[in-house]
Amino acid sequence: MSHLPNKVVNRREHIRVRVELDFCVTNVRRPDTPEAETEKICFRTKSLDISAGGICFGQKNVLQVGDIVEMRTKNSLTHSMCLRCDSAYFMSTEIELQPMEGVVVWATDSIAGVKFSNLSLRNENIINKIVWENHLKDVRNSKKKPSIF
């Protein structure tokens, strides 16, 4: 029996789908930095893909591996800096999630991958519904329709 090299093994535990959702992201804590000394960073972004285990979204070189972040959809913005933010007004996602926390597991200067921590049952159900609906749509669209002569 042959084993695939580690670089080709799919490490994902969950189905991931491409979907754009608007989020406000705030870094809650940097590793090895006291919370009082953590600079609060807030930015609006769109997800690139999502699964029940995590999310990938755009960023502008502000997040580092190990950062603990909070992600909120428009319905759950309560931080004063988010409520004063002009770009929050333009958030368009109709999906209503409770605030979610996660850890940045990889980051480049333009995107970041975050693993969810303590995802609420409500959020897990909503995300699973989004994933399955989009996955089924992708599967249906990938099947070639028979040609009729």
Side-chain angles (χ1 to χ4, degrees):
M1 180 160 117
S2 92
H3 294 286
L4 293 172
N6 286 339
K7 64 182 180 181
V8 237
V9 174
N10 183 358
R11 298 168 308 186
R12 299 200 192 285
E13 296 176 31
H14 308 279
I15 294 174
R16 182 170 297 267
V17 294
R18 293 191 178 281
V19 65
E20 282 190 4
L21 303 172
D22 273 329
F23 285 97
C24 178
V25 178
T26 307
N27 78 315
V28 176
R29 204 165 45 254
R30 283 241 150 98
D32 304 323
T33 304
E35 191 168 343
E37 295 176 21
T38 300
E39 176 189 359
K40 292 294 182 190
I41 299 170
C42 182
F43 60 93
R44 180 180 157 229
T45 189
K46 288 190 181 285
S47 64
L48 301 171
D49 60 41
I50 193 167
S51 75
I55 187 168
C56 175
F57 52 75
Q59 65 134 354
K60 293 183 179 170
N61 207 23
V62 293
L63 298 177
Q64 301 171 7
V65 171
D67 283 356
I68 298 170
V69 296
E70 184 179 77
M71 298 148 289
R72 292 174 178 251
T73 51
K74 188 173 186 172
N75 67 293
S76 64
L77 296 179
T78 56
H79 294 301
S80 59
M81 65 181 156
C82 293
L83 295 173
R84 290 190 310 262
C85 179
D86 290 337
S87 66
Y89 176 79
F90 296 104
M91 291 174 72
S92 61
T93 303
E94 293 178 10
I95 305 298
E96 293 188 357
L97 294 164
Q98 297 169 333
M100 300 180 294
E101 193 172 280
V103 177
V104 177
V105 291
W106 63 267
T108 68
D109 60 346
S110 60
I111 56 177
V114 174
K115 182 177 182 178
F116 294 132
S117 314
N118 303 321
L119 198 60
S120 71
L121 182 58
R122 179 181 187 275
N123 283 349
E124 185 177 345
N125 288 336
I126 292 169
I127 290 170
N128 281 329
K129 182 177 187 273
I130 293 167
V131 169
W132 280 108
E133 285 175 352
N134 282 279
H135 176 67
L136 290 174
K137 184 171 71 174
D138 290 346
V139 168
R140 288 182 188 119
N141 289 339
S142 70
K143 293 182 179 181
K144 293 184 179 179
K145 296 185 181 181
S147 300
I148 299 176
F149 293 99

